[in-house]
């Protein structure tokens, strides 16, 4: 016996049919259109049965309308009730020749549709035996003709034929429904899988309608565009979309996002759909392409440096040692002393460059774990202050929520240490004391955790910002130009991003972007370096 959710809906329609049949039967009684044999004195039974049948069906309709959920037992009882009632009416009239047997056929058929299985044969058997019993009773007690028994037998065959036919049809329908449900489930799972793939892609995916209104925006695109309104494209991207529409064969120029400084390349393609057309936009961070090229160059340089490090360090150590001995001479003139100082300083710089290049070639894979950034920052600042003298002035501003991220603590510690060292040095040059602010929070736009290192230095010149993370680029005479590059590389290894924001540009928007109580309105100059982490549930 099989009962489906659709059976309840079909039972509601069947009950409406029962009400209509009851109304017709009651109407036939009141208009004296009946098949009752007056000689048999069964009119009272016929009338009472039709009225009771209509009343029960109306009551059933009301309780179904009130929200009653009929089970398979209720449906079976209703079908058996119909078969019995119709045979009582058949008994109270002139037997099978009244045509009420046709209504019994419908009830048997409905039972086999509503309840699939062998119970449908029970409905047919009950109907056939009852019809045959009524006709035999007419023959033995009222001297009716034997033709009625034959008609009852033929009617019984029709009952069984209807049951077997509809059981076969119902079985096929059931198999089709199961197949449709499996396919629908597979389609839903495939749709969810496609959605997850699109959302987790590193390439930004944007789907718009023909008017440029955003219909789909994945997580990477949201992070790259850094938009306030997710339904509208940024003006720079909209301009390139218009250019592409005018000339689909051209490749548009890269554009820069003002709020993040990211340079993006947009590629467009037309989508054809049955319901209309759309435009698919791929967004790529061009800095990643340049980083890959730089990685290849530096990897080659690292292997070269690793091979010749011994040959470089030996003469470099001899030069440095000789300059140190020369500086200790009592007969050294001030001019010569200055020269030895230059030799030692630049020897140290060359050694730092060699060490940094070797670090690139030795870098290990991150061992990422889930970290509470607020707790991690407290421990980091405590250890940093204890290991530095004089004690730097570091202000820690933590968001009300605890941002969670997955990263390798040792590698990110190296990044934050480098940023703090730089920030303290530039702040001391600008305000006379080593001071900076470290903030944490969650970005409202993409729900990603971040760490900000904000100094009070002079900031980075406009023309130097785009070269800030390039290897060997430095504005310091004693710098190697690899610190920020290495920091960004370590962040990328931990699926994080390191970006620069001028404080005067970013301070007025910070409260709107983050779920943290960060206040930088008092600082009008300086630099903000932000580490943005991937979602903590993402596998690295």
């Amino acid at each position: 016996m099989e009962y489906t959710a659709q059976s309840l809906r079909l039972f509601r329609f069947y009950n409406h049919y029962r009400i209509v049949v009851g109304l017709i039967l009651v109407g036939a009684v009141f208009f004296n259109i009946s098949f009752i044999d007056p000689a048999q004195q069964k009119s009272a039974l016929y009338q009472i049965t039709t009225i009771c049948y209509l009343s029960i069906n109306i009551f059933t309709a009301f309780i179904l309308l009130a929200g009653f959920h009929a089970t398979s037992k209720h449906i079976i009882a209703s079908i058996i009730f119909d078969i019995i009632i119709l045979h009582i009416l058949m008994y109270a009239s002139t037997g099978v020749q009244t045509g009420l047997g046709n209504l019994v056929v419908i009830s048997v058929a409905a039972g086999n549709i509503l309840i699939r299985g062998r119970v449908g044969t029970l409905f047919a058997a009950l109907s056939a035996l009852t019809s045959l019993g009524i006709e035999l009773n007419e023959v033995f007690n009222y001297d009716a003709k034997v033709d009625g028994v034959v008609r009852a037998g033929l009617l019984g065959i029709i009952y069984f034929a209807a049951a077997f036919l509809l059981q076969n049809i119902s079985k096929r329908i059931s198999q089709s429904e199961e197949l449709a449900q499996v396919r629908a489930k597979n389609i839903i799972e495939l749709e969810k899988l496609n959605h997850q793939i699109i959302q987790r892609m590193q390439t930004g995916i944007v789907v718009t309608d023909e008017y440029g209104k955003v219909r789909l925006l994945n997580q990477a695109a949201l992070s790259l565009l850094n938009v306030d309104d997710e339904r509208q494209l940024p003006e720079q991207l909209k301009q390139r979309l218009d250019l592409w529409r005018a000339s689909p064969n051209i490749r548009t120029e890269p554009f820069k996002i003002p709020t993040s400084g990211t340079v993006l390349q947009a590629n467009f393609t037309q989508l054809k759909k049955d319901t209309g057309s759309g435009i698919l936009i791929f967004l790529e961070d061009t800095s990643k392409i340049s980083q890959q090229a730089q990685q290849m160059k530096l990897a080659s340089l690292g292997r070269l440096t690793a091979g010749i490090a011994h040959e470089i360090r030996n003469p470099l150590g001899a030069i440095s040692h000789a300059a140190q001995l020369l500086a200790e001479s009592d007969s050294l003139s001030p001019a010569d002393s200055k020269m030895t100082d230059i030799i030692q300083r630049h020897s140290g710089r060359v050694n730092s460059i060699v060490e940094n290049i070797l670090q690139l070639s030795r870098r290990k894979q991150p061992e990422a774990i889930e970290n509470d950034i607020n707790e991690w920052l407290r421990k980091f600042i405590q250890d940093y202050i204890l290991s530095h003298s004089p004690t730097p002035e570091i202000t820690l501003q933590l968001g009300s929520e605890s941002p969670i991220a997955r990263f390798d603590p040792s590698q990110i510690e190296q990044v934050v240490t480098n940023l703090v060292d730089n920030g303290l040095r530039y702040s001391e040059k600008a305000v006379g004391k080593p001071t900076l602010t470290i903030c944490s929070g969650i970005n409202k736009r993409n729900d990603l955790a971040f760490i900000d290192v904000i100094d009070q230095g002079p900031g980075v010149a406009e023309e130097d910002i785009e070269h800030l993370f390039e290897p060997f680029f430095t504005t310091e005479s004693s710098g190697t130009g690899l610190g920020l590059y290495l920091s960004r590389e370590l962040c990328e290894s931990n699926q994080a991003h390191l970006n620069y924001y001028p404080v005067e540009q970013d301070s007025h928007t910070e409260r709107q972007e983050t779920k943290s109580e960060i206040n930088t309105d008092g600082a009008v100059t300086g630099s903000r370096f932000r580490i943005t982490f991937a979602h903590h549930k993402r596998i690295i």
Side-chain angles (χ1 to χ4, degrees), residues 76-137:
I76 293 173
S78 298
I79 298 297
I80 294 176
F81 171 75
D82 283 358
I83 294 172
I84 294 175
I85 290 294
L86 291 173
H87 279 93
I88 291 174
L89 295 177
M90 195 182 299
Y91 169 75
S93 59
T94 57
V96 296
Q97 63 183 6
T98 59
L100 292 174
N102 296 329
L103 298 180
V104 178
V105 173
I106 296 176
S107 296
V108 172
N112 281 272
I113 293 174
L114 295 174
I115 302 294
R116 299 168 187 171
R118 295 182 179 179
V119 70
T121 308
L122 172 64
F123 299 147
L126 177 63
S127 301
L129 290 175
T130 309
S131 297
L132 187 60
I134 289 173
E135 289 303 319
L136 290 174
N137 178 68

Side-chain angles (χ1 to χ4, degrees), residues 174-190:
S174 178
Q175 292 174 349
S176 299
E177 287 180 351
E178 291 178 358
L179 180 61
Q181 290 175 358
V182 171
R183 289 181 176 177
K185 183 178 179 181
N186 291 338
I187 291 173
I188 293 173
E189 291 178 352
L190 184 60

Side-chain angles (χ1 to χ4, degrees), residues 294-348:
Q294 290 171 358
Q295 286 175 353
M296 293 177 65
K297 292 178 181 178
L298 289 174
S300 300
L301 183 58
R303 289 191 294 269
L304 176 63
T305 306
I308 64 174
H310 180 72
E311 301 298 330
I312 292 177
R313 282 179 169 175
N314 279 344
L316 187 63
I319 294 171
S320 177
H321 183 64
Q324 184 178 359
L325 292 177
L326 185 60
E328 295 175 356
S329 175
D330 296 334
S331 60
L332 196 66
S333 65
D336 291 338
S337 179
K338 186 176 181 180
M339 295 296 293
T340 58
D341 181 63
I342 293 174
I343 293 172
Q344 289 182 349
R345 188 170 66 253
H346 284 278
S347 297

Side-chain angles (χ1 to χ4, degrees), residues 25-43:
L25 293 175
V26 171
V29 170
F30 283 100
F31 288 99
N32 295 322
I33 306 173
S34 64
F35 308 98
I36 305 174
D37 184 2
Q40 296 182 2
Q41 303 295 323
K42 298 178 183 176
S43 59

